[in-house]
């Protein structure tokens, strides 16, 4: 369905048949590239326990492009979706850049969360330098240095440039490289280059939630793939060190997306955690 949230149309899907089940809102990563398909794969199977709300964030997927494309606005959109769904408290989940928004939400609205689930994310912008070094050293791609820096610094020219850059970097993401899947993902992606540029050229320069993480008191699960190139294991280790009593799980046969690389183990890990801490 298309909902107007804070003045912008969002493509939203609410999964689950029990109207009285607790709410879980999952935020996708890759602003300008991501969509609700990613969190639907990761958290949709939990719809037997929760009402699972997935959506294309402002400036991504099939949602509208009205700015601003800021963390504050994306957090406000999450809270408006919570209110629309009629939930006082809920589980917040976020992967990659969506993890940034999930942590920012937990900091801004600590009393709203039953639990927090983070996947392959970072508490500050320093992961960008690690990602650039990993891309340069990878034997999967013959990296175009100028393209890499335009992508990582938010200087993409247009949607065609965004599409070509995404195609070049996609081989880095999965644990096992399948060239056939690259073109399939390229062709199935909606491109919003202005959203990406805002996120990487403006937001990331100011992003550092490390000082606030010790104040997060809800149960927190931190997950990461062992060979994640863009938000490496060290980033998740730092988050788990800073959030009190959080649980860190490293998926040894995964890259940037354990829900895709090790789906059964990821599903069981998240399900067990939420059954214990959020139901």
């Amino acid at each position: 369905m298309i909902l107007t949230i804070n003045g912008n149309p969002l493509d939203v899907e609410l999964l689950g048949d029990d109207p009285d089940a607790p709410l879980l809102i999952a935020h996708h990563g890759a602003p300008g590239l991501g969509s609700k398909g990613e969190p639907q794969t990761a958290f949709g199977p939990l719809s037997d326990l929760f009402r699972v709300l997935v959506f294309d964030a402002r400036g991504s997927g099939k949602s509208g492009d009205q700015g601003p494309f800021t963390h504050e606005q994306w957090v406000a959109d999450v809270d408006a979706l919570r209110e629309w769904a009629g939930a006082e408290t809920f589980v917040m989940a976020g992967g990659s850049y969506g993890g940034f928004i999930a942590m920012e939400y937990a900091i801004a609205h600590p009393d709203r969360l039953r639990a927090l689930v983070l996947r392959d994310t970072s508490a500050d912008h320093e992961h960008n330098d690690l990602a650039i070094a990993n891309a340069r050293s990878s034997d999967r791609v013959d990296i175009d240095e100028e393209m890499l820096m335009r992508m990582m610094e938010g200087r993409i020219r247009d949607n065609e440039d965004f599409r070509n850059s995404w195609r070049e970097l996609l081989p880095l993401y999965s644990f096992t490289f399948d060239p056939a899947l690259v073109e399939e993902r390229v062709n199935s992606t909606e491109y919003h280059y202005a959203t990406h540029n805002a996120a990487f050229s403006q937001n990331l320069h100011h992003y550092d939630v490390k000082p606030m993480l010790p104040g997060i008191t809800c149960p927190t699960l931190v997950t990461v793939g062992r060979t994640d190139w863009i938000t490496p294991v060290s980033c998740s280790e730092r988050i788990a060190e800073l959030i009190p009593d959080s649980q860190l799980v490293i998926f040894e046969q995964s890259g940037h997306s354990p829900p895709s690389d090790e789906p059964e183990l990821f599903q069981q890990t998240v399900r067990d955690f939420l059954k214990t801490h959020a139901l």
Side-chain angles (χ1 to χ4, degrees):
M1 69 190 84
I2 300 295
L3 300 177
T4 298
I5 298 293
N6 293 327
N8 184 73
L10 297 185
D11 188 10
V12 177
E13 188 165 356
L14 188 58
L15 310 170
D17 297 325
D18 183 357
D20 297 320
L23 181 68
L24 184 154
I25 299 178
H27 204 296
H28 65 76
L33 279 173
S35 73
K36 65 184 181 184
E38 172 227 305
Q40 184 167 344
T41 296
F43 300 101
L46 293 167
S47 61
D48 61 325
L49 301 176
F50 296 89
R51 291 184 297 148
V52 178
L53 192 156
V54 296
F55 65 106
D56 293 349
R58 177 183 301 257
S60 294
K62 297 186 182 303
S63 290
D65 285 327
Q66 179 175 318
F69 305 128
T70 63
H71 291 193
E72 293 80 6
Q73 184 62 65
W74 285 320
V75 166
D77 290 347
V78 170
D79 201 51
L81 287 168
R82 171 202 62 78
E83 186 174 8
W84 172 82
E88 289 296 316
T89 61
F90 69 105
V91 174
M92 180 78 211
S96 195
Y97 203 108
F100 305 172
I101 307 307
M103 285 183 279
E104 298 249 27
Y105 187 95
I107 292 162
H109 303 282
D111 296 334
R112 292 292 185 192
L113 293 190
R114 292 171 174 253
L116 180 64
V117 180
L118 303 172
R119 177 197 61 75
D120 297 84
T121 190
S122 177
D124 60 29
H125 61 269
E126 293 181 5
H127 71 280
N128 239 29
D129 291 337
L130 299 174
I132 290 168
N134 287 336
R136 287 170 175 161
S137 64
S138 174
D139 59 3
R140 286 191 183 179
V141 293
D142 184 12
I143 204 71
D144 179 331
E145 180 71 17
E146 197 269 340
M147 176 279 296
L148 174 66
M149 297 313 297
R150 282 189 295 104
M151 189 75 164
M152 303 304 284
E153 293 176 353
R155 295 185 286 108
I156 295 297
R157 301 182 185 113
D158 53 33
N159 280 339
E160 186 61 25
D161 185 32
F162 203 12
R163 180 188 184 96
N164 292 334
S165 300
W166 182 227
R167 179 186 286 110
E168 292 299 311
L169 292 177
L170 264 173
L172 297 172
Y173 281 85
S174 59
F175 185 77
T176 303
F177 176 41
D178 183 350
L181 292 179
V182 169
E183 204 61 28
E184 179 181 324
R185 289 192 65 184
V186 167
N187 291 332
S188 64
T189 298
E190 303 267 355
Y191 296 91
H192 302 250
Y193 81 97
T195 311
H196 170 87
N197 284 350
F200 280 75
S201 70
Q202 300 170 32
N203 300 346
L204 279 184
H205 291 299
H206 310 291
Y207 174 65
D208 184 353
V209 296
K210 296 194 304 298
M212 285 76 78
L213 292 187
I216 293 179
T217 57
C218 67
T220 301
L221 175 65
V222 184
T223 68
V224 63
R226 174 62 73 184
T227 64
D228 186 344
W229 77 280
I230 194 166
T231 49
V233 168
S234 60
C235 299
S236 287
E237 289 174 335
R238 172 61 68 89
I239 293 169
E241 289 168 1
L242 291 171
I243 298 179
D245 301 320
S246 57
Q247 178 181 340
L248 173 66
V249 178
I250 301 173
F251 292 84
E252 298 295 338
Q253 304 295 312
S254 290
H256 188 58
S257 182
S260 298
D261 289 333
E262 296 180 81
E264 292 182 3
L265 181 58
F266 181 84
Q267 291 300 329
Q268 195 60 55
T269 299
V270 174
R271 182 176 291 268
D272 290 347
F273 173 82
L274 291 178
K275 277 186 172 181
T276 300
H277 296 287
L279 292 177

